[in-house]
Amino acid sequence: MITVKEVRSKKEQRAFVRFPLKLYKGNKYYVPMLYSGEFTIFDPEAPFNKVCDSICFLAYDGERVVGRIQGIIQREANEKWDQKRVRFTRFDAIDDEAVSAALFGAVEAWAKQKGMEEFVGPLGYSDLEREGLLIEGFDQEQTFEEQYNYPYYQKLIEAYGFEKDVDWLEYRLYAPESSGDRMIALSRRMLDRYGLRTYQAKTIKELIDRHINGLFEVIEKTYARLYGTMPLNDEIIQSYVSDFKMIVRPEDVMMIYDKNDRMIGFALMFPSISEAVRRSNGHITPAFLARFLRDKKNPKVIDLGLIGVLPEYEARGIPTVMIGELINRLRNGSLDHLETNLMLENNHNIHNLMKHFDRKQNKRRRCFKKTI
């Protein structure tokens, strides 16, 4: 018999965090989150828990853990979009509809008590976290920033009554053989035309001290209209900065400034550390640190995290500057390719930019919704 319990004790928290590590043991595509960092979701003083309601459940078959799920009511997103939505995330389960139905039912009952009317996911606290269910690309390398799942998850979710809400696409990008020179030349002409300059910080300290506020201002204005986004306060921003400063290198953040020294665009990338994290099962060990530092110093693959250009410059074609810079980076370095993260399937502007690369669409992720 399947039973569901809310996660309360330290023992249950450890079981919640460990369950996917057991479920995906030996899977060469699964990339876990960093183990120690996962426990912040249980901290009421964590920045997102101050603006969200959250609950975690474990499913048991007798004494054995067979599934988990987190429910999130993102109050600021609901206010922004005039919605009454509960999100699910960190959903993992064995291939058993009784288990998944019990988990979804527990979150739904909790959400009903709080007046919610729609059930959506997988979505995290914000759109800068892992989101979407992998529905294509189960044999593809995953980025550290995104979540892998078994193919049967889609069946479990749809069996509970969920339907498609939106899809995201992901690409593997290579330097183009024919149009690269033209794009690089066009990029330079656009900079001259509008009096712009590209810039890369010399150190992480400089990046954070002098440029991070401008970067998040561009993120806020660029991504505000996209699916599921919400405002990010200073405390939340600082938590993201703290998480990613260990991974990002200053040379992997390309920025565009105007003649008044205002940041008007950026491209944020990460050296791929998926293999290091996977081999350590998410634990920060000496072996992990050695592989991590090696992959960070000499990456063969770069994860393309975000590209943002202020709306008034987007209309002038400035995103092509970023494409030219990225093509130049692929041509002149030791990189094999860029691995993109999620791009909404109806975000035609970003997909048009991707056409300038030799590309392969290798993954698709889906967010589901259900009326409750």
Side-chain angles (χ1 to χ4, degrees):
M1 179 178 176
I2 304 302
T3 58
V4 172
K5 290 179 59 178
E6 181 181 349
V7 174
R8 296 184 182 274
S9 69
K10 294 293 185 182
K11 180 181 178 181
E12 290 164 346
Q13 291 174 8
R14 289 192 295 271
F16 186 92
V17 173
R18 289 173 179 168
F19 176 69
L21 302 180
K22 297 177 181 178
L23 186 67
Y24 289 94
K25 186 176 181 179
N27 186 294
K28 66 179 182 179
Y29 301 113
Y30 174 72
V31 180
M33 296 183 183
L34 290 177
Y35 183 81
S36 59
E38 274 292 84
F39 288 94
T40 60
I41 68 173
F42 304 112
D43 181 1
E45 295 304 312
F48 268 117
N49 285 334
K50 296 178 181 179
V51 296
C52 298
D53 297 326
S54 173
I55 196 166
C56 294
F57 293 103
L58 284 168
Y60 295 84
D61 183 358
E63 297 295 320
R64 182 171 67 105
V65 176
V66 290
R68 70 169 195 167
I69 197 169
Q70 181 184 14
I72 298 172
I73 297 175
Q74 208 337 325
R75 298 193 296 268
E76 293 188 336
N78 280 345
E79 181 178 353
K80 173 183 175 179
W81 298 101
D82 191 24
Q83 295 169 334
K84 294 182 179 180
R85 286 187 157 188
V86 60
R87 303 173 171 206
F88 74 85
T89 185
R90 293 174 172 85
F91 166 69
D92 291 288
I94 64 171
D95 188 3
D96 188 328
E97 290 182 15
V99 173
S100 55
L103 289 167
F104 289 129
V107 175
E108 183 171 325
W110 171 75
K112 280 184 176 179
Q113 291 178 351
K114 292 182 173 292
M116 298 299 103
E117 297 174 352
E118 282 188 302
F119 201 176
V120 297
L123 287 174
Y125 290 104
S126 86
D127 60 304
L128 297 182
E129 299 192 358
R130 293 183 173 190
E131 58 187 359
L133 187 84
L134 186 69
I135 61 171
E136 295 176 8
F138 298 103
D139 60 348
Q140 297 293 305
E141 295 178 2
Q142 305 295 306
T143 68
F144 171 68
E145 298 81 34
E146 298 303 337
Q147 181 71 17
Y148 182 81
N149 55 262
Y150 288 123
Y152 67 77
Y153 277 35
Q154 182 176 358
K155 176 194 67 175
L156 297 180
I157 290 172
E158 291 176 344
Y160 193 71
F162 285 97
E163 298 177 341
K164 174 184 173 180
D165 198 9
V166 297
D167 277 9
W168 295 271
L169 306 180
E170 298 175 54
Y171 296 96
R172 180 170 288 186
L173 305 177
Y174 300 89
E177 294 183 3
S178 57
S179 61
D181 290 339
R182 182 176 62 82
M183 287 303 301
I184 293 170
L186 178 60
S187 166
R188 292 168 181 164
R189 288 200 300 271
M190 297 296 285
L191 290 172
D192 292 339
R193 179 183 302 174
Y194 295 108
L196 306 175
R197 61 183 175 89
T198 60
Y199 186 78
Q200 291 174 290
K202 305 299 188 295
T203 65
I204 287 296
K205 186 178 187 306
E206 179 200 344
L207 177 66
I208 293 172
D209 291 347
R210 294 182 52 190
H211 306 283
I212 204 69
N213 289 335
L215 190 148
F216 273 95
E217 286 175 10
V218 176
I219 289 176
E220 175 68 23
K221 293 179 180 178
T222 303
Y223 287 84
R225 63 188 185 274
L226 297 183
Y227 179 87
T229 56
M230 73 291 299
L232 301 176
N233 62 41
D234 288 342
E235 189 176 6
I236 290 172
I237 288 172
Q238 289 307 313
S239 71
Y240 279 133
V241 172
S242 178
D243 289 342
F244 284 103
K245 71 180 180 181
M246 180 179 76
I247 302 173
V248 74
R249 305 177 304 173
E251 62 264 36
D252 294 327
V253 184
M254 297 189 295
M255 298 168 281
I256 304 177
Y257 277 89
D258 67 11
K259 58 186 177 183
N260 297 316
D261 283 334
R262 178 180 65 145
M263 188 186 300
I264 62 99
F266 72 91
L268 173 62
M269 298 170 286
F270 306 97
S272 177
I273 62 168
S274 298
E275 181 65 11
V277 177
R278 185 186 66 79
R279 292 180 64 180
S280 73
N281 224 10
H283 293 276
I284 299 177
T285 64
F288 162 78
L289 290 173
R291 287 190 292 267
F292 166 77
L293 292 173
R294 178 201 65 201
D295 294 345
K296 181 178 178 180
K297 184 177 181 180
N298 297 300
K300 297 299 181 183
V301 178
I302 289 283
D303 298 342
L304 181 55
L306 298 170
I307 294 179
V309 174
L310 292 178
E312 60 266 36
Y313 281 94
E314 186 176 12
R316 302 177 192 178
I318 297 305
T320 59
V321 172
M322 289 301 182
I323 300 306
E325 293 291 326
L326 291 172
I327 290 173
N328 198 40
R329 179 77 172 272
L330 280 168
R331 281 185 163 187
N332 297 325
S334 59
L335 295 178
D336 181 73
H337 65 275
L338 300 176
E339 192 80 23
T340 75
N341 283 305
L342 280 66
M343 300 179 180
L344 283 165
E345 65 177 349
N346 59 1
N347 187 349
H348 302 299
N349 289 337
I350 192 68
H351 292 293
N352 284 333
L353 290 176
M354 295 303 104
K355 291 179 181 178
H356 297 292
F357 296 92
D358 286 346
R359 62 175 182 164
K360 174 187 177 183
Q361 189 245 305
N362 61 343
K363 284 169 277 185
R364 178 184 292 266
R365 299 183 195 271
R366 178 164 297 170
C367 183
F368 296 84
K369 67 178 179 180
K370 176 183 180 293
T371 301
I372 61 175

